[in-house]
């Protein structure tokens, strides 16, 4: 299942996503973690030192490889150069699976050893000084979207994405790629402002959205959040001595995380699993095509010099029948 953590800068979404990833690893789930935030801190939150975090390969730098591999033998895609971030799979495309080895994971993923198991970590790459004035961060995130469009995932398989802060996620269709979106909000007016934007944008696309209250200090904070977001409030998370030690670079074993916080993380997992059971693969594919056609018309056709609408395979539905990954066969 695919899960996103979103929220305004400073809300604690990277910390919570890293705790959730640790929790999944402790529960023996298969996990790919993706740092898609413009500020790349997920590696550090998972225990990497500065040198290890800086050495993570940037997905954006491997975009030609990603496109060439995913294109496979799809006859509707003339060349890898004509693929854009929203290009959907079709017959002949190569698909990805969480548990497999493939050239994309070899180039872009690194294994991170946690207390209770290993996970794969991928990163879009930071927004550097050389990008200023000449590049858009969404071009880096496009590598993530392309991989999500071609990924077939199942139960006990998790892709957890730490998204860029605020409502920037709506610059593409990537916000529809997730079975559950956890919006991390502090109990303040600014803290819930991103929720209102997200709720409005997501409403028409059936995006499953739950609010995780962070830095909650008591019943009054929970009452405030409940009044602002209603039934979308899932849980509240308070102070954690374990997290404070982790942020100082002196984490104890994850099994020593406070019991109430462990229970909160289990609630997130249960909620994500319930949402995955409701996934509509046909709608999932339609939304993929919808945003591809929208991007093709607005900028993609002009940029590539090709009619990108022709890349859409009208008979193709990405679903469990492609669970073996490899080359996508006719639906």
């Amino acid at each position: 299942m695919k899960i996103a953590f979103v929220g305004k800068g400073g809300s604690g979404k990277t910390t919570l996503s890293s705790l959730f990833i640790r929790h999944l690893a402790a529960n023996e789930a298969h996990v790919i973690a993706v740092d898609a935030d413009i500020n790349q801190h997920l590696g550090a939150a998972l225990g990497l030192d500065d040198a290890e975090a800086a050495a993570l390969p940037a997905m954006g730098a491997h975009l030609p490889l990603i496109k060439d591999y995913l294109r496979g033998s799809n006859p509707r895609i003339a060349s890898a150069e004509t693929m854009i971030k929203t290009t959907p799979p079709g017959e002949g495309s190569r698909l990805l699976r969480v548990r497999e080895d493939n050239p994309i994971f070899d180039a872009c993923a690194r294994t991170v050893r946690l207390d209770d198991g290993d996970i794969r970590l991928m990163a879009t790459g930071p927004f550097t000084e050389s990008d200023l004035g000449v590049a858009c961060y969404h071009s880096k995130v496009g590598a993530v979207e392309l991989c999500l469009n071609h990924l077939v995932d199942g139960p006990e398989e998790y892709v957890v994405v730490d998204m860029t802060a605020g409502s920037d996620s709506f610059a593409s269709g990537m916000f529809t790629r997730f079975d559950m979106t956890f919006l991390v909000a502090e109990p303040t007016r600014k803290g819930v402002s991103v929720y209102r934007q997200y709720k409005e944008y997501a409403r028409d696309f059936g995006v499953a959205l739950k609010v995780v209250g962070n830095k909650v200090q008591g019943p009054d904070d929970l009452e405030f959040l409940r009044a602002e977001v209603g039934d979308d409030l899932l849980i509240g998370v308070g102070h954690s001595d374990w997290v404070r030690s982790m942020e100082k670079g002196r984490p104890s074993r994850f099994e020593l995380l406070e019991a109430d916080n462990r229970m909160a993380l289990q609630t997130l997992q249960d909620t994500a699993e319930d949402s995955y059971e409701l996934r509509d693969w046909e709608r999932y594919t339609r939304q993929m095509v919808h945003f591809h056609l929208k991007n093709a018309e607005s900028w993609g056709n002009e940029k590539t010099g090709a009619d990108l609408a022709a890349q859409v395979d009208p008979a193709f539905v990405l679903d469990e029948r492609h669970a073996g990954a490899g080359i996508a066969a006719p639906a």
Side-chain angles (χ1 to χ4, degrees):
M1 58 204 77
K2 305 182 182 82
I3 299 164
F5 279 81
V6 301
K8 80 174 185 67
S11 64
K13 67 179 180 62
T14 297
T15 298
L16 281 172
S17 61
S18 71
L19 291 176
F20 184 62
I21 290 163
R22 290 177 185 270
H23 169 80
L24 294 174
N27 284 352
E28 300 182 344
H30 300 271
V31 183
I32 293 177
V34 182
D35 192 345
D37 196 350
I38 192 169
N39 298 305
Q40 304 263 283
H41 297 311
L42 184 58
L46 290 170
L48 300 186
D49 61 30
D50 290 345
E52 291 170 329
L56 289 172
M59 294 179 70
H62 293 281
L63 195 53
L65 179 151
I66 293 171
K67 290 180 177 180
D68 189 61
Y69 179 79
L70 296 178
R71 176 191 171 217
S73 60
N74 187 333
R76 296 176 179 273
I77 302 176
S79 67
E81 289 72 25
T82 62
M83 294 180 72
I84 61 174
K85 62 183 179 179
T86 53
T87 295
E91 181 181 348
S93 296
R94 286 196 181 96
L95 304 178
L96 305 175
R97 283 303 302 265
V98 170
R99 306 188 198 190
E100 72 177 2
D101 294 318
N102 58 57
I104 293 177
F105 292 163
D106 290 344
C108 301
R110 293 295 179 265
T111 299
V112 176
R113 180 160 296 175
L114 303 176
D115 290 345
D116 300 298
D118 296 343
I119 59 107
R120 277 172 166 161
L121 175 61
M122 305 173 75
T124 57
F127 198 71
T128 64
E129 284 189 19
S130 62
D131 294 320
L132 294 176
V134 297
C136 172
Y137 187 68
H138 301 297
S139 65
K140 297 178 181 288
V141 179
V144 181
E145 183 170 0
L146 198 56
C147 287
L148 291 177
N149 280 353
H150 288 76
L151 189 143
V152 183
D153 53 314
E156 301 181 7
E157 297 178 338
Y158 290 81
V159 179
V160 181
V161 182
D162 182 19
M163 298 281 279
T164 189
S167 57
D168 287 350
S169 308
F170 294 98
S172 71
M174 196 162 79
F175 74 98
T176 67
R177 301 298 85 202
F178 301 102
D179 299 292
M180 175 55 63
T181 296
F182 292 123
L183 190 146
V184 181
E186 300 169 80
T188 64
R189 292 177 63 186
K190 287 184 178 180
V192 299
S193 61
V194 174
Y195 162 78
R196 295 195 182 95
Q197 290 178 301
Y198 225 102
K199 184 72 171 179
E200 180 180 353
Y201 291 144
R203 183 179 293 113
D204 294 336
F205 294 94
V207 172
L209 178 67
K210 288 294 181 182
V211 174
V212 179
N214 195 28
K215 307 177 186 178
V216 172
Q217 297 183 6
D220 184 65
D221 285 346
L222 279 177
E223 289 175 9
F224 171 82
L225 287 169
R226 192 169 289 111
E228 295 293 325
V229 308
D231 292 339
D232 285 340
L233 179 63
L234 180 63
I235 54 169
V237 179
H239 173 79
S240 169
D241 290 333
W242 191 96
V243 169
R244 181 57 60 89
S245 295
M246 178 192 71
E247 291 174 340
K248 292 178 179 178
R250 301 194 296 266
S252 54
R253 288 192 59 82
F254 184 65
E255 63 189 16
L256 298 178
L257 180 71
E258 299 86 356
D260 55 346
N261 288 328
R262 292 295 292 266
M263 291 178 62
L265 294 172
Q266 186 60 51
T267 298
L268 298 186
Q269 183 177 1
D270 293 342
T271 303
E273 290 176 351
D274 290 344
S275 184
Y276 174 79
E277 292 297 325
L278 300 175
R279 182 189 289 181
D280 182 340
W281 287 96
E282 290 190 1
R283 185 183 71 180
Y284 188 84
T285 305
R286 285 198 307 272
Q287 289 177 341
M288 195 189 308
V289 169
H290 167 80
F291 282 102
H292 178 62
L293 295 177
K294 188 174 180 180
N295 278 266
E297 183 178 357
S298 63
W299 61 269
N301 290 343
E302 181 178 356
K303 181 177 180 179
T304 63
D307 177 11
L308 300 186
Q311 294 179 345
V312 175
D313 185 343
F316 183 84
V317 176
L318 185 70
D319 60 23
E320 294 98 329
R321 287 172 293 181
H322 302 110
I327 299 295

